[in-house]
Structures are given as C-alpha cells and as structure tokens.
Amino acid sequence: MPNTVLDRRTLNRALLDRQLLLERSEMSALDVIEHLVGMQSQAPDAPYVGLWTRLKHFSFAELAGLMTERRAVRIVLMRGTVHLVSASDALALRPVVQPMLERQFRSSTWSPGVRGVDREELVAAGRALVGERARNPAELRAALGERWPQADPGSLVNALRNWIPLVQLPPRGVWGKGGQPVYATVEEWLGRTVESPDVGTVVRRYLGAFGPAGVADLQKWSGLTGLRQVVAGLGLRTYRDDQGRVLYDLPDAGLPDPDTPVPARFVADFDNLVLSHADRSRILGEVAPGQVMTVNGIVRGTVLVDGFVGGTWKFERRRGEAAVLVEPFGRIGIADREALEAEGSRLLAATDPQASAHAVRFTGS
C-alpha cells in the first residue's frame, strides 16, 4: 500500500489545477477541450461558460467556429451523455466507450422496444438514412417506424444513438442559434474513420485532467467497468486518500500547495468538474450531491468559494435585463460575495453584451 495520504483539500487543489480553475489559462479553446477529455454538453450552451471560466482570452465565436468548421463535434460518449470533443477525440474516444454504450442500451427501458429487430439491419438502415442527408429524430422515427411497424420508433432511434457514432450538427450547439438535433455519422461528417480503442491512453488523459483518482472514479467518469487491470499495467504513481482508498496519478504530475487561494468561479451546468469522481467530496465538500444534481438528471451550475461548491447559479433574462441568480448553500462572507458579484458581472458582459442592464442577485440568503 502507498504511504502518502492526500487529504480532501490537497485533492481539491489538484483537481482545480488540472481543470484550469486555479488561474485562467492562455490555451486555445480547442486545446482546453482536448485537455479536459471533452466537456459534457447535455445543455448545448454549457461549454461556452465552461471555457469562459477557464480561459484568459475566449471568444464565444471561437467555439462556434470550431463546430461549424468541423474541428469540434457533439457526440454521445462518456456515461452515455452528449460531450463536446475535438474531431480527433470523437474518433478516438467513441471506440473506447462503445462497449459501455452497448451495455447501457441492453439494460435501458428502450431495449424492449426493439425486440425482434435485427441489429445489423437496423444499423445499416440508420446509416443509409443519415448518409443520404442529415436527419432529425422525428424523421428517423418516421422512416424506421415504417420499416419496423412492430417496434417502438423512439426505441429504434435510441438504439442507433448507442450503436453507431452519430454527431449532432450545427447550428445546434452554436451560441445564440439553438435548434433541434440533426444527425450524421461521425465518419461522414469528418470524412475519417474511427480509431482502434486505446483504453490506457484514455486513463492517462483522465488522470491528467481529474487526478489523482481511484479506479471507482475512472469508472464513474467513463461509465466503463473492469478498469482495475488496465490501471495496474500503466506504471502509475500511487497515493491514499484519508479513507484509505488507493489513488493513481501520472508519474510526473505535481500537486499544488493545498493552501493555494482559489478565485471565485462560476462553473457551468453539467460540468464534468462535479461529475467525474465516485467520491465527489473533493469538490462538493460537505454539500450533498442532491443539492447540485436533481433526480431527473439536471446538474445545476455551481459557484466555487475557496475552491469548493458554495451554491448554485442560473441565468435569468427578462425585459431586456440579463441577470445571474446565485443561491448560496450557507453564509458567504463579504469578500467572497463581492468576488462573486464581480465575476458574475464579467460573465454577463460576455454572454449578454446587448442587454440593457446586468445584475447579480443572491437568493435565499
């Protein structure tokens, strides 16, 4: 067993350092997306806030351009959720998580709806449909339901979502545009084929963005199982946390001073910062996960106070005014409150430059 014990605060500062939240980075948006091994994008606009809070120089048009130029895509990956990733990572990560997506669909409520449907025929039909032209879910349901009238049309589309690598095309995911999902295969959209799975490389990259971490953390982030043997063969450095659990890290990765100050931060909805560990106390502290994550799968935006989640936040837009509403989980000191007010004002200047007024309001306190 390793002898060095890392307490919660040390793990917190290590996580924030690797998540580029101790200080804003000079990196490009595309480099950050790759460093983070993708950004969860269940809410299409969330990665814009996630990049803004991590970068010194970020234009919302920069990310929009990455998607319209096909350098970044939105695709189902880790945990069966939509992620924004670079084009290269879409091709590299999808084969790694494919076994998890297969297992996830088999155990889902959608699975009975495709009983009796030949998988290979469905995959071929789906590929042919989106190969002719990009199609939205309603169009896929209609076409597939006509071919397999005994099956549930929604289940047929969800099977394709797990069985073949479909990307959601712009303008969905482009700031200020919106629109329903429209699908093409990643191979058609990027003009390249998916790569052979390389789980070991993905584990190392996870640790570079989220470590030190245990096998259970890796599995929580990815949705994969059976990673213990993979981790054991990578020659990783080991620690223990204060509960005695073994943590792994890259051999040359450093750890920041646990007393490093952390600026006020607005973390986006669904951000992997709060989702990617089995033990989330390194970022939630004493906050119960249910205060951030709802039973129906919503993950609220959070504010960081001294590096730990200190409350939630959301936008409110009406009558020309754009506001950020902050709901603290406890008492916030004057200095932290002022820092959040200043940071919230900067965020509104980036997200709503045309609004007639900006406001940062604290609720429930």
Side-chain angles (χ1 to χ4, degrees):
M1 287 286 291
N3 293 320
T4 303
V5 176
L6 305 181
D7 62 16
R8 179 185 292 178
R9 194 172 182 86
T10 298
L11 291 173
N12 172 267
R13 293 318 196 246
L15 175 61
L16 295 177
D17 184 36
R18 297 180 198 194
Q19 286 285 301
L20 311 178
L21 291 168
L22 285 186
E23 58 180 284
R24 283 185 161 94
S25 172
E26 299 274 5
M27 296 166 68
S28 71
L30 187 62
D31 286 343
V32 170
I33 293 167
E34 290 197 331
H35 169 74
L36 297 175
V37 205
M39 306 178 74
Q40 185 153 312
S41 187
Q42 295 292 98
D45 287 345
Y48 289 87
V49 175
L51 289 168
W52 175 87
T53 206
R54 289 172 167 92
L55 290 173
K56 286 184 179 178
H57 311 290
F58 172 64
S59 161
F60 283 32
E62 180 182 2
L63 176 53
L66 291 176
M67 285 188 281
T68 57
E69 296 163 11
R70 309 191 188 194
R71 299 170 64 198
V73 298
R74 298 175 66 249
I75 183 173
V76 172
L77 290 170
M78 286 72 74
R79 305 182 300 280
T81 57
V82 178
H83 273 68
L84 170 72
V85 293
S86 69
S88 295
D89 272 353
L91 301 169
L93 294 172
R94 181 61 186 237
V96 171
V97 301
Q98 190 60 43
M100 175 272 298
L101 296 175
E102 307 273 350
R103 184 182 70 252
Q104 186 183 71
F105 184 76
R106 286 195 300 270
S107 62
S108 74
T109 57
W110 299 107
S111 183
V114 299
R115 189 174 291 124
V117 175
D118 183 86
R119 174 194 166 118
E120 297 307 317
E121 288 184 17
L122 176 57
V123 166
R127 284 187 175 276
L129 285 168
V130 297
E132 291 171 358
R133 61 178 174 84
R135 296 180 189 259
N136 64 41
E139 292 171 322
L140 288 172
R141 286 193 296 270
L144 296 172
E146 182 177 354
R147 179 161 178 175
W148 285 282
Q150 81 283 9
D152 172 60
S155 296
L156 294 169
V157 174
N158 274 276
L160 288 180
R161 181 178 177 270
N162 282 56
W163 290 347
I164 62 178
L166 297 175
V167 293
Q168 295 188 14
L169 306 188
R172 187 166 176 83
V174 173
W175 184 264
K177 298 292 185 181
Q180 64 180 319
V182 178
Y183 295 113
T185 68
V186 71
E187 299 98 334
E188 289 280 349
W189 182 246
L190 298 180
R192 297 154 60 187
T193 58
V194 295
E195 301 174 6
S196 299
D198 183 353
V199 181
T201 294
V202 173
V203 167
R204 290 189 183 94
R205 291 184 60 194
Y206 167 82
L207 293 174
F210 296 94
V215 172
D217 299 316
L218 271 160
Q219 294 182 162
K220 176 65 72 173
W221 168 76
S222 65
L224 296 172
T225 58
L227 293 180
R228 191 169 300 280
Q229 187 173 355
V230 175
V231 168
L234 295 178
L236 299 171
R237 186 174 184 176
T238 56
Y239 301 99
R240 283 186 296 132
D241 67 12
D242 53 14
Q243 301 298 310
R245 292 170 292 213
V246 178
L247 305 176
Y248 297 90
D249 204 5
L250 301 173
D252 58 350
L255 298 172
D257 187 327
D259 292 324
T260 302
V262 182
R265 294 285 188 235
F266 282 78
V267 179
D269 301 10
F270 296 97
D271 200 292
N272 279 332
L273 175 74
V274 299
L275 291 174
S276 298
H277 296 88
D279 179 2
R280 293 167 174 150
S281 64
R282 70 178 65 197
I283 189 65
L284 295 183
E286 299 301 325
V287 171
Q291 292 183 264
V292 174
M293 306 162 200
T294 68
V295 293
N296 59 347
I298 301 299
V299 182
R300 298 185 176 101
T302 56
V303 294
L304 300 186
V305 178
D306 189 29
F308 291 90
V309 169
T312 60
W313 71 275
K314 63 181 179 180
F315 288 116
E316 182 180 80
R317 299 178 174 99
R318 58 183 179 182
R319 296 191 294 274
E321 181 193 72
V324 164
L325 304 183
V326 179
E327 183 174 356
F329 292 147
R331 183 182 178 279
I332 294 181
I334 293 175
D336 289 326
R337 186 184 181 104
E338 290 177 347
L340 286 169
E341 288 175 343
E343 187 75 350
S345 296
R346 287 191 290 270
L347 175 59
L348 289 169
T351 60
D352 294 79
Q354 304 304 319
S356 59
H358 292 157
V360 179
R361 301 192 181 97
F362 289 78
T363 63
S365 63

